[in-house]
Amino acid sequence: MRQKLSIQEREQLLGPLLKENGWVLASGRDAITKNFSFADFNQAFAFMTAVALRAEKMDHHPEWFNVYNKVDITLSTHDCQGLSTRDIDLATFIDQAADTSN
C-alpha cells in the first residue's frame, strides 16, 4: 500500500508543483488539481492520450473532465486516500505532456 506524502515530502516535492507549475490543492480532500487549455480538441485529445498511456503504465489513473479544448485533472492516490509520490510523478509527466501538446 502506498504511503501519504510526509510533511517533508510535501514541502520538497509538492511545493514546486503548487508554487511554480499551477497545481492547486483540491477543496475538501487531499488531492491536487489543474486546468489545462489547448488550441483545439485535437490537441486536448492528444494530450489526454499521452497521459492515459503513462497512467496505465503506472497503474495510477487521474480523475479528469474534458470539454472541447479544456481538460481538468485531479490527482490523488486512492490506496492511501491522499497524495503520494505517484501523484507527484504523474503531475510532473502531465506538465511535460502539456508543454509538448501546446
Side-chain angles (χ1 to χ4, degrees), residues 27-92:
S27 178
R29 61 189 281 211
D30 192 22
I32 54 175
T33 187
K34 187 171 178 179
N35 303 323
F36 296 88
S37 184
F38 299 92
D40 55 30
F41 178 76
N42 287 337
Q43 280 190 355
F45 193 80
F47 164 75
M48 291 177 67
T49 301
V51 172
L53 292 171
R54 176 58 65 98
E56 186 63 20
K57 275 187 180 178
M58 293 175 66
D59 192 29
H60 187 58
H61 305 93
E63 299 170 25
W64 54 14
F65 180 75
N66 164 246
V67 175
Y68 185 60
N69 68 332
K70 306 223 180 312
V71 180
D72 303 333
I73 298 180
T74 301
L75 299 175
S76 184
T77 301
H78 301 288
D79 290 350
C80 69
Q81 298 180 353
L83 291 167
S84 75
T85 55
R86 288 180 126 188
D87 301 302
I88 303 302
D89 294 343
L90 188 53
T92 301

Side-chain angles (χ1 to χ4, degrees), residues 4-18:
K4 282 187 182 183
L5 293 175
S6 67
I7 293 171
Q8 184 177 13
E9 288 172 323
R10 285 178 182 272
E11 291 173 6
Q12 292 176 346
L13 303 175
L14 184 59
L17 289 174
L18 299 175

